[in-house]
Amino acid sequence: MSSTNSTGPNSKQAQRKAAMSVLAHSAASDIAGRLAAITLPGHENLREPENGLVMMRGRVGGDGAPFNLGEATVSRAAVRLASGEVGFGYTLGRDAEKARMIALCDAMVQSAELSGEVEAKVIAPLRAAMNAERSRKAAETAATRVDFYTMVRGEG
């Protein structure tokens, strides 16, 4: 009988996935500003940041047969910390420095010593800013909402 705990590999994977989502949707300048607030560990580039193309796939009707929609430009990088953790960074567009910063954050999230600090000083503030922006846009959109209704006409 297995039990779930908050320190298992699945929770680490979920934490890493959530961090990568926040980083990929954040601006490079915001990530750089947050990273400036912490002492960066020694690290080396395993894969220098580079740009390339990926094929985007679509589905007919949203859930039907897949088809090739087109290509999108992406940047990728890989970083290894001096302590051995390896991080990978991918982002849409031609922003090699953002891909490198994402890879660095990914490696730090995996480190037992650095994960708390990078979560508190980089990921959490970026997540809060992203959620605030989404809430602001939702409120702005809701203000323009029009409710249509139909009055029931009486018979006869």
Side-chain angles (χ1 to χ4, degrees):
M1 182 173 197
S2 68
S3 64
T4 58
N5 62 24
S6 61
T7 60
N10 289 340
S11 68
K12 276 299 217 187
Q13 186 176 4
Q15 177 188 12
R16 188 176 174 198
K17 183 177 178 181
M20 294 298 282
S21 176
V22 169
L23 292 165
H25 289 94
S26 297
S29 59
D30 294 340
I31 298 170
R34 296 295 176 183
L35 281 175
I38 64 176
T39 303
L40 297 179
H43 60 279
E44 65 176 324
N45 290 333
L46 287 179
R47 178 184 301 272
E48 290 292 328
E50 60 186 357
N51 300 321
L53 295 172
V54 294
M55 180 59 68
M56 303 296 289
R57 307 247 331 165
R59 289 192 173 271
V60 176
D63 61 355
F67 64 94
N68 292 336
L69 181 64
E71 294 176 330
T73 305
V74 296
S75 298
R76 70 178 180 177
V79 171
R80 179 176 30 220
L81 299 182
S83 56
E85 292 84 0
V86 176
F88 300 94
Y90 291 85
T91 186
L92 282 173
R94 295 177 159 269
D95 194 345
E97 183 59 21
K98 180 178 177 183
R100 191 191 65 75
M101 289 186 292
I102 290 172
L104 180 58
C105 288
D106 182 39
M108 290 191 297
V109 164
Q110 297 173 66
S111 168
E113 300 85 35
L114 301 170
S115 64
E117 183 179 20
V118 75
E119 176 64 35
K121 294 183 179 177
V122 179
I123 309 295
L126 291 173
R127 183 181 296 119
M130 187 183 324
N131 289 338
E133 180 64 16
R134 285 181 182 164
S135 295
R136 184 193 67 76
K137 285 183 180 179
E140 188 177 290
T141 302
T144 64
R145 182 177 174 184
V146 177
D147 290 320
F148 293 96
Y149 62 92
T150 305
M151 294 181 62
V152 178
R153 292 188 284 180
E155 295 293 323

